[in-house]
Amino acid sequence: QAADVGGVGGAMTRTLSPLLRTEVSTEALLKLLLGVWVDQGRPPSQYLVILDQAPAGASVQTCTVRTTRPSGERKETPALIKISGSKVSWSHSYVLDVDSATQQIIKWQHNAGGRGFVWMREASASSAPVS
């Protein structure tokens, strides 16, 4: 049934048992997060989110983020995003607003109430992915 769950936090997810919901939510969150995103900078930075290899039995899934700044500077940060159940964190300072997340826009909220940031799915199919 995991493939039938559309989006994050959908009605179907909420009707499942807590254990199954966690498994489905993690899969749905990974499906949502992986790929190329841009921020709201002018010009924007680009972020490629890649699934990391998880050790057998791991309760936390991680993703590496490859960032390309407008200047062309590139940085790769292993395990920058962590998924534990339905909680997704960016480093230790931000958490994904799962309730408002869509396939096109995600919002990262600051843990201490500071300024967050928004990512939009890369719209240009002709853009070369970050490598």
Side-chain angles (χ1 to χ4, degrees):
Q1 273 199 0
D4 295 334
V5 175
V8 175
M12 179 180 279
T13 303
R14 290 191 183 103
T15 62
L16 301 174
S17 71
L19 177 60
L20 186 56
R21 180 176 55 230
T22 299
E23 292 171 1
V24 171
S25 293
T26 299
E27 183 176 323
L29 288 167
L30 286 170
K31 184 177 177 181
L32 172 77
L33 287 168
L34 299 179
V36 181
W37 297 88
V38 294
D39 62 21
Q40 294 183 311
R42 296 288 177 242
S45 292
Q46 185 185 62
Y47 306 88
L48 174 61
V49 179
I50 305 164
L51 181 62
D52 294 333
Q53 182 76 25
S59 62
V60 175
Q61 180 65 60
T62 63
C63 296
T64 291
V65 177
R66 292 181 184 162
T67 305
T68 301
R69 299 287 181 209
S71 66
E73 174 190 356
R74 294 181 181 200
K75 179 180 181 181
E76 182 169 318
T77 310
L80 182 60
I81 295 175
K82 293 178 178 49
I83 302 169
S84 179
S86 61
K87 181 180 179 184
V88 181
S89 58
W90 169 280
S91 184
H92 299 288
S93 300
Y94 297 90
V95 65
L96 180 68
D97 180 357
V98 175
D99 292 334
S100 71
T102 70
Q103 287 293 325
Q104 299 305 314
I105 298 175
I106 57 176
K107 299 174 186 174
W108 295 98
Q109 299 174 324
H110 195 278
N111 286 334
R115 186 173 177 202
F117 57 97
V118 175
W119 279 1
M120 293 154 290
R121 179 78 61 190
E122 176 66 69
S124 174
S126 63
S127 292
V130 182
S131 57

